[in-house]
Amino acid sequence: DGVRTGRIQSSTDLATCIAGVAARTKRGIHPATRSFQALRIWVNDELGEIEALLRSAETLIRPGGTAAIISFHSLEDRLVKQWFRSSVMVAKPRRAIRPSKEEIERN
C-alpha cells in the first residue's frame, strides 16, 4: 500500500498515514477527520466565500430585511460573529439546532 512505499495515492493512504501519527479524539473520531476538513476548507476557499458574502450582505439586504447565516464549524462561526459585531446590521443569534438521534441515524 501507499503508506509502506512512501507514496500516498489515495485518501485511504492519507488517512492511514495520519492515523499512524495522531490519536483518536476523546469521542472516538478518526484522527484524519480534521485533516480532511482542513483540506476541504482550503480547496473550496470556504472562509473566503463567507467573507465575500458578508462584505456584500449590507448592500444586498434591504433595510429591515433578514439574513440567515448558517455556520458549520467554529472558523465560520467566528467570522460571522465578528461581522455582526462590526456591522450596522443587528444580530439576533439563535442557539444551534441539533439533530435528533433518529435524524443522525438516517443520515
Side-chain angles (χ1 to χ4, degrees):
D1 71 357
V3 176
R4 289 190 195 133
T5 64
R7 295 182 57 167
I8 297 172
Q9 297 180 339
S10 69
S11 59
T12 302
D13 288 347
L14 179 57
T16 302
C17 185
I18 293 168
V21 296
R24 286 190 178 269
T25 66
K26 292 177 185 175
R27 295 181 184 168
I29 297 171
H30 192 280
T33 300
R34 292 191 94 176
S35 298
F36 282 108
Q37 180 184 28
L39 288 169
R40 188 201 73 234
I41 290 168
W42 180 76
V43 166
N44 295 332
D45 190 26
E46 292 177 11
L47 300 179
E49 291 296 322
I50 288 176
E51 288 172 341
L53 168 73
L54 296 174
R55 280 193 303 271
S56 62
E58 289 182 30
T59 58
L60 295 173
I61 301 168
R62 294 180 182 161
T66 301
I69 301 173
I70 300 170
S71 59
F72 291 96
H73 52 76
S74 61
L75 295 173
E76 294 173 346
D77 192 51
R78 185 177 308 127
L79 287 174
V80 172
K81 286 178 179 176
Q82 287 173 349
W83 177 75
F84 271 113
R85 280 195 285 275
S86 66
S87 171
V88 298
M89 307 282 288
V90 177
K92 295 181 183 178
R94 306 240 189 237
R95 293 181 57 183
I97 300 170
R98 304 280 181 207
S100 66
K101 288 183 181 180
E102 294 80 24
E103 183 178 356
I104 292 171
E105 289 171 4
R106 281 196 316 266
N107 291 328

